[in-house]
PDB file of all heavy atoms in Angstrom:
ATOM      1  N   HIS A1374       0.835  -1.204   0.000  1.00 73.00           N
ATOM      2  CA  HIS A1374       0.000   0.000   0.000  1.00 73.00           C
ATOM      3  C   HIS A1374       0.874   1.260   0.000  1.00 73.00           C
ATOM      4  O   HIS A1374       0.591   2.219  -0.727  1.00 73.00           O
ATOM      5  CB  HIS A1374      -0.908  -0.019   1.223  1.00 73.00           C
ATOM      6  CG  HIS A1374      -1.828   1.164   1.308  1.00 73.00           C
ATOM      7  ND1 HIS A1374      -2.953   1.292   0.520  1.00 73.00           N
ATOM      8  CD2 HIS A1374      -1.775   2.292   2.071  1.00 73.00           C
ATOM      9  CE1 HIS A1374      -3.565   2.424   0.807  1.00 73.00           C
ATOM     10  NE2 HIS A1374      -2.865   3.049   1.745  1.00 73.00           N
ATOM     11  N   LYS A1375       1.939   1.244   0.807  1.00 76.00           N
ATOM     12  CA  LYS A1375       2.842   2.405   0.851  1.00 76.00           C
ATOM     13  C   LYS A1375       3.528   2.619  -0.494  1.00 76.00           C
ATOM     14  O   LYS A1375       3.693   3.758  -0.943  1.00 76.00           O
ATOM     15  CB  LYS A1375       3.887   2.204   1.952  1.00 76.00           C
ATOM     16  CG  LYS A1375       3.344   2.359   3.366  1.00 76.00           C
ATOM     17  CD  LYS A1375       4.442   2.188   4.409  1.00 76.00           C
ATOM     18  CE  LYS A1375       3.906   2.396   5.817  1.00 76.00           C
ATOM     19  NZ  LYS A1375       4.951   2.223   6.847  1.00 76.00           N
ATOM     20  N   ARG A1376       3.927   1.518  -1.146  1.00 76.00           N
ATOM     21  CA  ARG A1376       4.557   1.639  -2.467  1.00 76.00           C
ATOM     22  C   ARG A1376       3.590   2.244  -3.485  1.00 76.00           C
ATOM     23  O   ARG A1376       3.966   3.084  -4.304  1.00 76.00           O
ATOM     24  CB  ARG A1376       5.048   0.267  -2.939  1.00 76.00           C
ATOM     25  CG  ARG A1376       6.304  -0.224  -2.238  1.00 76.00           C
ATOM     26  CD  ARG A1376       6.932  -1.378  -2.989  1.00 76.00           C
ATOM     27  NE  ARG A1376       6.071  -2.535  -3.022  1.00 76.00           N
ATOM     28  CZ  ARG A1376       6.126  -3.528  -2.147  1.00 76.00           C
ATOM     29  NH1 ARG A1376       7.004  -3.479  -1.168  1.00 76.00           N
ATOM     30  NH2 ARG A1376       5.319  -4.563  -2.245  1.00 76.00           N
ATOM     31  N   GLN A1377       2.337   1.808  -3.445  1.00 71.00           N
ATOM     32  CA  GLN A1377       1.343   2.335  -4.379  1.00 71.00           C
ATOM     33  C   GLN A1377       1.073   3.811  -4.122  1.00 71.00           C
ATOM     34  O   GLN A1377       0.937   4.601  -5.063  1.00 71.00           O
ATOM     35  CB  GLN A1377       0.047   1.528  -4.262  1.00 71.00           C
ATOM     36  CG  GLN A1377       0.157   0.111  -4.801  1.00 71.00           C
ATOM     37  CD  GLN A1377      -1.098  -0.695  -4.575  1.00 71.00           C
ATOM     38  OE1 GLN A1377      -1.887  -0.404  -3.682  1.00 71.00           O
ATOM     39  NE2 GLN A1377      -1.305  -1.726  -5.378  1.00 71.00           N
ATOM     40  N   VAL A1378       1.008   4.204  -2.859  1.00 74.00           N
ATOM     41  CA  VAL A1378       0.796   5.614  -2.519  1.00 74.00           C
ATOM     42  C   VAL A1378       1.980   6.462  -2.986  1.00 74.00           C
ATOM     43  O   VAL A1378       1.810   7.561  -3.520  1.00 74.00           O
ATOM     44  CB  VAL A1378       0.590   5.772  -0.987  1.00 74.00           C
ATOM     45  CG1 VAL A1378       0.613   7.242  -0.601  1.00 74.00           C
ATOM     46  CG2 VAL A1378      -0.727   5.134  -0.578  1.00 74.00           C
ATOM     47  N   THR A1379       3.201   5.929  -2.833  1.00 76.00           N
ATOM     48  CA  THR A1379       4.393   6.642  -3.297  1.00 76.00           C
ATOM     49  C   THR A1379       4.373   6.829  -4.812  1.00 76.00           C
ATOM     50  O   THR A1379       4.665   7.910  -5.329  1.00 76.00           O
ATOM     51  CB  THR A1379       5.662   5.864  -2.892  1.00 76.00           C
ATOM     52  OG1 THR A1379       5.688   5.710  -1.472  1.00 76.00           O
ATOM     53  CG2 THR A1379       6.915   6.601  -3.343  1.00 76.00           C
ATOM     54  N   ALA A1380       4.001   5.761  -5.534  1.00 72.00           N
ATOM     55  CA  ALA A1380       3.910   5.842  -6.995  1.00 72.00           C
ATOM     56  C   ALA A1380       2.857   6.856  -7.420  1.00 72.00           C
ATOM     57  O   ALA A1380       3.057   7.631  -8.366  1.00 72.00           O
ATOM     58  CB  ALA A1380       3.586   4.464  -7.579  1.00 72.00           C
ATOM     59  N   LEU A1381       1.735   6.859  -6.722  1.00 74.00           N
ATOM     60  CA  LEU A1381       0.660   7.811  -7.019  1.00 74.00           C
ATOM     61  C   LEU A1381       1.124   9.244  -6.782  1.00 74.00           C
ATOM     62  O   LEU A1381       0.855  10.138  -7.591  1.00 74.00           O
ATOM     63  CB  LEU A1381      -0.542   7.494  -6.135  1.00 74.00           C
ATOM     64  CG  LEU A1381      -1.855   8.229  -6.436  1.00 74.00           C
ATOM     65  CD1 LEU A1381      -2.357   7.887  -7.817  1.00 74.00           C
ATOM     66  CD2 LEU A1381      -2.904   7.880  -5.403  1.00 74.00           C
ATOM     67  N   THR A1382       1.851   9.476  -5.708  1.00 74.00           N
ATOM     68  CA  THR A1382       2.371  10.814  -5.403  1.00 74.00           C
ATOM     69  C   THR A1382       3.344  11.291  -6.468  1.00 74.00           C
ATOM     70  O   THR A1382       3.300  12.445  -6.901  1.00 74.00           O
ATOM     71  CB  THR A1382       3.068  10.797  -4.024  1.00 74.00           C
ATOM     72  OG1 THR A1382       2.156  10.316  -3.039  1.00 74.00           O
ATOM     73  CG2 THR A1382       3.534  12.187  -3.646  1.00 74.00           C
ATOM     74  N   MET A1383       4.223  10.385  -6.921  1.00 73.00           N
ATOM     75  CA  MET A1383       5.195  10.746  -7.959  1.00 73.00           C
ATOM     76  C   MET A1383       4.499  11.081  -9.271  1.00 73.00           C
ATOM     77  O   MET A1383       4.873  12.033  -9.964  1.00 73.00           O
ATOM     78  CB  MET A1383       6.185   9.596  -8.155  1.00 73.00           C
ATOM     79  CG  MET A1383       7.108   9.362  -6.968  1.00 73.00           C
ATOM     80  SD  MET A1383       8.163   7.910  -7.171  1.00 73.00           S
ATOM     81  CE  MET A1383       9.171   8.423  -8.572  1.00 73.00           C
ATOM     82  N   LYS A1384       3.476  10.299  -9.614  1.00 71.00           N
ATOM     83  CA  LYS A1384       2.730  10.574 -10.844  1.00 71.00           C
ATOM     84  C   LYS A1384       2.060  11.942 -10.784  1.00 71.00           C
ATOM     85  O   LYS A1384       2.066  12.698 -11.755  1.00 71.00           O
ATOM     86  CB  LYS A1384       1.677   9.486 -11.075  1.00 71.00           C
ATOM     87  CG  LYS A1384       2.228   8.188 -11.592  1.00 71.00           C
ATOM     88  CD  LYS A1384       2.687   8.310 -13.027  1.00 71.00           C
ATOM     89  CE  LYS A1384       3.163   6.993 -13.579  1.00 71.00           C
ATOM     90  NZ  LYS A1384       3.697   7.134 -14.949  1.00 71.00           N
ATOM     91  N   LEU A1385       1.475  12.262  -9.647  1.00 72.00           N
ATOM     92  CA  LEU A1385       0.829  13.560  -9.492  1.00 72.00           C
ATOM     93  C   LEU A1385       1.832  14.701  -9.623  1.00 72.00           C
ATOM     94  O   LEU A1385       1.538  15.736 -10.228  1.00 72.00           O
ATOM     95  CB  LEU A1385       0.126  13.625  -8.131  1.00 72.00           C
ATOM     96  CG  LEU A1385      -1.160  12.799  -7.994  1.00 72.00           C
ATOM     97  CD1 LEU A1385      -1.661  12.823  -6.561  1.00 72.00           C
ATOM     98  CD2 LEU A1385      -2.248  13.322  -8.929  1.00 72.00           C
ATOM     99  N   ALA A1386       3.028  14.517  -9.076  1.00 73.00           N
ATOM    100  CA  ALA A1386       4.067  15.544  -9.188  1.00 73.00           C
ATOM    101  C   ALA A1386       4.479  15.754 -10.647  1.00 73.00           C
ATOM    102  O   ALA A1386       4.669  16.887 -11.105  1.00 73.00           O
ATOM    103  CB  ALA A1386       5.276  15.150  -8.344  1.00 73.00           C
ATOM    104  N   GLU A1387       4.599  14.645 -11.401  1.00 73.00           N
ATOM    105  CA  GLU A1387       4.945  14.749 -12.821  1.00 73.00           C
ATOM    106  C   GLU A1387       3.858  15.485 -13.599  1.00 73.00           C
ATOM    107  O   GLU A1387       4.142  16.328 -14.459  1.00 73.00           O
ATOM    108  CB  GLU A1387       5.155  13.351 -13.409  1.00 73.00           C
ATOM    109  CG  GLU A1387       6.398  12.648 -12.883  1.00 73.00           C
ATOM    110  CD  GLU A1387       6.507  11.226 -13.404  1.00 73.00           C
ATOM    111  OE1 GLU A1387       5.646  10.828 -14.223  1.00 73.00           O
ATOM    112  OE2 GLU A1387       7.427  10.517 -12.982  1.00 73.00           O
ATOM    113  N   LEU A1388       2.599  15.163 -13.306  1.00 74.00           N
ATOM    114  CA  LEU A1388       1.490  15.822 -13.994  1.00 74.00           C
ATOM    115  C   LEU A1388       1.454  17.316 -13.673  1.00 74.00           C
ATOM    116  O   LEU A1388       1.167  18.135 -14.551  1.00 74.00           O
ATOM    117  CB  LEU A1388       0.160  15.171 -13.600  1.00 74.00           C
ATOM    118  CG  LEU A1388      -0.088  13.759 -14.143  1.00 74.00           C
ATOM    119  CD1 LEU A1388      -1.383  13.200 -13.583  1.00 74.00           C
ATOM    120  CD2 LEU A1388      -0.131  13.761 -15.657  1.00 74.00           C
ATOM    121  N   GLN A1389       1.752  17.670 -12.442  1.00 71.00           N
ATOM    122  CA  GLN A1389       1.779  19.083 -12.072  1.00 71.00           C
ATOM    123  C   GLN A1389       2.857  19.832 -12.858  1.00 71.00           C
ATOM    124  O   GLN A1389       2.634  20.949 -13.335  1.00 71.00           O
ATOM    125  CB  GLN A1389       2.032  19.221 -10.563  1.00 71.00           C
ATOM    126  CG  GLN A1389       0.826  18.842  -9.711  1.00 71.00           C
ATOM    127  CD  GLN A1389       1.136  18.842  -8.231  1.00 71.00           C
ATOM    128  OE1 GLN A1389       2.286  18.881  -7.834  1.00 71.00           O
ATOM    129  NE2 GLN A1389       0.097  18.771  -7.407  1.00 71.00           N
ATOM    130  N   SER A1390       4.031  19.211 -13.021  1.00 72.00           N
ATOM    131  CA  SER A1390       5.104  19.837 -13.799  1.00 72.00           C
ATOM    132  C   SER A1390       4.698  20.021 -15.258  1.00 72.00           C
ATOM    133  O   SER A1390       4.943  21.063 -15.867  1.00 72.00           O
ATOM    134  CB  SER A1390       6.369  18.977 -13.709  1.00 72.00           C
ATOM    135  OG  SER A1390       6.809  18.865 -12.380  1.00 72.00           O
ATOM    136  N   GLN A1391       4.058  18.990 -15.818  1.00 70.00           N
ATOM    137  CA  GLN A1391       3.622  19.086 -17.212  1.00 70.00           C
ATOM    138  C   GLN A1391       2.560  20.166 -17.385  1.00 70.00           C
ATOM    139  O   GLN A1391       2.561  20.899 -18.379  1.00 70.00           O
ATOM    140  CB  GLN A1391       3.089  17.734 -17.686  1.00 70.00           C
ATOM    141  CG  GLN A1391       4.175  16.679 -17.858  1.00 70.00           C
ATOM    142  CD  GLN A1391       3.623  15.339 -18.267  1.00 70.00           C
ATOM    143  OE1 GLN A1391       2.513  14.967 -17.885  1.00 70.00           O
ATOM    144  NE2 GLN A1391       4.378  14.589 -19.029  1.00 70.00           N
ATOM    145  N   LEU A1392       1.656  20.265 -16.431  1.00 71.00           N
ATOM    146  CA  LEU A1392       0.611  21.289 -16.518  1.00 71.00           C
ATOM    147  C   LEU A1392       1.208  22.692 -16.429  1.00 71.00           C
ATOM    148  O   LEU A1392       0.740  23.614 -17.109  1.00 71.00           O
ATOM    149  CB  LEU A1392      -0.420  21.074 -15.408  1.00 71.00           C
ATOM    150  CG  LEU A1392      -1.379  19.897 -15.606  1.00 71.00           C
ATOM    151  CD1 LEU A1392      -2.244  19.702 -14.374  1.00 71.00           C
ATOM    152  CD2 LEU A1392      -2.257  20.105 -16.837  1.00 71.00           C
ATOM    153  N   LEU A1393       2.231  22.866 -15.601  1.00 72.00           N
ATOM    154  CA  LEU A1393       2.895  24.171 -15.519  1.00 72.00           C
ATOM    155  C   LEU A1393       3.521  24.550 -16.862  1.00 72.00           C
ATOM    156  O   LEU A1393       3.436  25.707 -17.291  1.00 72.00           O
ATOM    157  CB  LEU A1393       3.971  24.145 -14.425  1.00 72.00           C
ATOM    158  CG  LEU A1393       3.461  24.134 -12.971  1.00 72.00           C
ATOM    159  CD1 LEU A1393       4.620  23.949 -12.011  1.00 72.00           C
ATOM    160  CD2 LEU A1393       2.723  25.432 -12.659  1.00 72.00           C
ATOM    161  N   ARG A1394       4.151  23.561 -17.525  1.00 69.00           N
ATOM    162  CA  ARG A1394       4.742  23.829 -18.849  1.00 69.00           C
ATOM    163  C   ARG A1394       3.658  24.186 -19.860  1.00 69.00           C
ATOM    164  O   ARG A1394       3.822  25.111 -20.669  1.00 69.00           O
ATOM    165  CB  ARG A1394       5.530  22.609 -19.333  1.00 69.00           C
ATOM    166  CG  ARG A1394       6.816  22.367 -18.592  1.00 69.00           C
ATOM    167  CD  ARG A1394       7.748  21.472 -19.395  1.00 69.00           C
ATOM    168  NE  ARG A1394       7.131  20.200 -19.743  1.00 69.00           N
ATOM    169  CZ  ARG A1394       7.205  19.114 -18.990  1.00 69.00           C
ATOM    170  NH1 ARG A1394       7.849  19.150 -17.837  1.00 69.00           N
ATOM    171  NH2 ARG A1394       6.643  17.987 -19.386  1.00 69.00           N
ATOM    172  N   LEU A1395       2.557  23.448 -19.829  1.00 71.00           N
ATOM    173  CA  LEU A1395       1.467  23.721 -20.763  1.00 71.00           C
ATOM    174  C   LEU A1395       0.868  25.107 -20.521  1.00 71.00           C
ATOM    175  O   LEU A1395       0.540  25.823 -21.474  1.00 71.00           O
ATOM    176  CB  LEU A1395       0.380  22.652 -20.626  1.00 71.00           C
ATOM    177  CG  LEU A1395       0.703  21.269 -21.208  1.00 71.00           C
ATOM    178  CD1 LEU A1395      -0.431  20.303 -20.927  1.00 71.00           C
ATOM    179  CD2 LEU A1395       0.966  21.353 -22.698  1.00 71.00           C
ATOM    180  N   ASN A1396       0.719  25.477 -19.254  1.00 71.00           N
ATOM    181  CA  ASN A1396       0.184  26.802 -18.946  1.00 71.00           C
ATOM    182  C   ASN A1396       1.106  27.906 -19.471  1.00 71.00           C
ATOM    183  O   ASN A1396       0.640  28.897 -20.038  1.00 71.00           O
ATOM    184  CB  ASN A1396      -0.001  26.960 -17.434  1.00 71.00           C
ATOM    185  CG  ASN A1396      -1.202  26.186 -16.924  1.00 71.00           C
ATOM    186  OD1 ASN A1396      -2.070  25.795 -17.698  1.00 71.00           O
ATOM    187  ND2 ASN A1396      -1.247  25.943 -15.624  1.00 71.00           N
ATOM    188  N   ALA A1397       2.418  27.729 -19.267  1.00 71.00           N
ATOM    189  CA  ALA A1397       3.377  28.727 -19.750  1.00 71.00           C
ATOM    190  C   ALA A1397       3.339  28.833 -21.273  1.00 71.00           C
ATOM    191  O   ALA A1397       3.361  29.939 -21.840  1.00 71.00           O
ATOM    192  CB  ALA A1397       4.780  28.368 -19.274  1.00 71.00           C
ATOM    193  N   LEU A1398       3.262  27.670 -21.929  1.00 67.00           N
ATOM    194  CA  LEU A1398       3.202  27.660 -23.390  1.00 67.00           C
ATOM    195  C   LEU A1398       1.894  28.269 -23.884  1.00 67.00           C
ATOM    196  O   LEU A1398       1.870  29.049 -24.844  1.00 67.00           O
ATOM    197  CB  LEU A1398       3.339  26.219 -23.895  1.00 67.00           C
ATOM    198  CG  LEU A1398       3.418  26.009 -25.409  1.00 67.00           C
ATOM    199  CD1 LEU A1398       4.573  26.799 -26.014  1.00 67.00           C
ATOM    200  CD2 LEU A1398       3.582  24.529 -25.724  1.00 67.00           C
ATOM    201  N   GLY A1399       0.784  27.953 -23.199  1.00 69.00           N
ATOM    202  CA  GLY A1399      -0.507  28.513 -23.578  1.00 69.00           C
ATOM    203  C   GLY A1399      -0.549  30.025 -23.410  1.00 69.00           C
ATOM    204  O   GLY A1399      -1.092  30.738 -24.267  1.00 69.00           O
ATOM    205  N   GLU A1400       0.022  30.530 -22.331  1.00 69.00           N
ATOM    206  CA  GLU A1400       0.062  31.982 -22.112  1.00 69.00           C
ATOM    207  C   GLU A1400       0.866  32.684 -23.205  1.00 69.00           C
ATOM    208  O   GLU A1400       0.483  33.747 -23.691  1.00 69.00           O
ATOM    209  CB  GLU A1400       0.665  32.282 -20.738  1.00 69.00           C
ATOM    210  CG  GLU A1400      -0.258  31.947 -19.577  1.00 69.00           C
ATOM    211  CD  GLU A1400       0.395  32.189 -18.236  1.00 69.00           C
ATOM    212  OE1 GLU A1400       1.607  32.518 -18.220  1.00 69.00           O
ATOM    213  OE2 GLU A1400      -0.281  32.057 -17.198  1.00 69.00           O
ATOM    214  N   ARG A1401       1.970  32.038 -23.586  1.00 66.00           N
ATOM    215  CA  ARG A1401       2.807  32.633 -24.637  1.00 66.00           C
ATOM    216  C   ARG A1401       2.057  32.712 -25.965  1.00 66.00           C
ATOM    217  O   ARG A1401       2.098  33.726 -26.662  1.00 66.00           O
ATOM    218  CB  ARG A1401       4.088  31.801 -24.793  1.00 66.00           C
ATOM    219  CG  ARG A1401       5.095  32.420 -25.761  1.00 66.00           C
ATOM    220  CD  ARG A1401       6.323  31.545 -25.868  1.00 66.00           C
ATOM    221  NE  ARG A1401       7.268  32.090 -26.828  1.00 66.00           N
ATOM    222  CZ  ARG A1401       8.328  31.443 -27.284  1.00 66.00           C
ATOM    223  NH1 ARG A1401       8.570  30.224 -26.863  1.00 66.00           N
ATOM    224  NH2 ARG A1401       9.137  32.001 -28.148  1.00 66.00           N
ATOM    225  N   LEU A1402       1.371  31.616 -26.304  1.00 66.00           N
ATOM    226  CA  LEU A1402       0.612  31.596 -27.556  1.00 66.00           C
ATOM    227  C   LEU A1402      -0.549  32.590 -27.503  1.00 66.00           C
ATOM    228  O   LEU A1402      -0.844  33.267 -28.496  1.00 66.00           O
ATOM    229  CB  LEU A1402       0.089  30.185 -27.827  1.00 66.00           C
ATOM    230  CG  LEU A1402       1.139  29.125 -28.182  1.00 66.00           C
ATOM    231  CD1 LEU A1402       0.506  27.746 -28.225  1.00 66.00           C
ATOM    232  CD2 LEU A1402       1.792  29.446 -29.522  1.00 66.00           C
ATOM    233  N   ALA A1403      -1.215  32.678 -26.348  1.00 65.00           N
ATOM    234  CA  ALA A1403      -2.337  33.604 -26.217  1.00 65.00           C
ATOM    235  C   ALA A1403      -1.873  35.058 -26.344  1.00 65.00           C
ATOM    236  O   ALA A1403      -2.529  35.876 -26.991  1.00 65.00           O
ATOM    237  CB  ALA A1403      -3.034  33.396 -24.868  1.00 65.00           C
TER     238      ALA A1403
END
């Protein structure tokens, strides 16, 4: 269970980083 929670946390962190990049790129295009 702890391993699965750790994997879930890491995935969420990666998605947050990708969303920040997309937001920056979207603002630039806008």
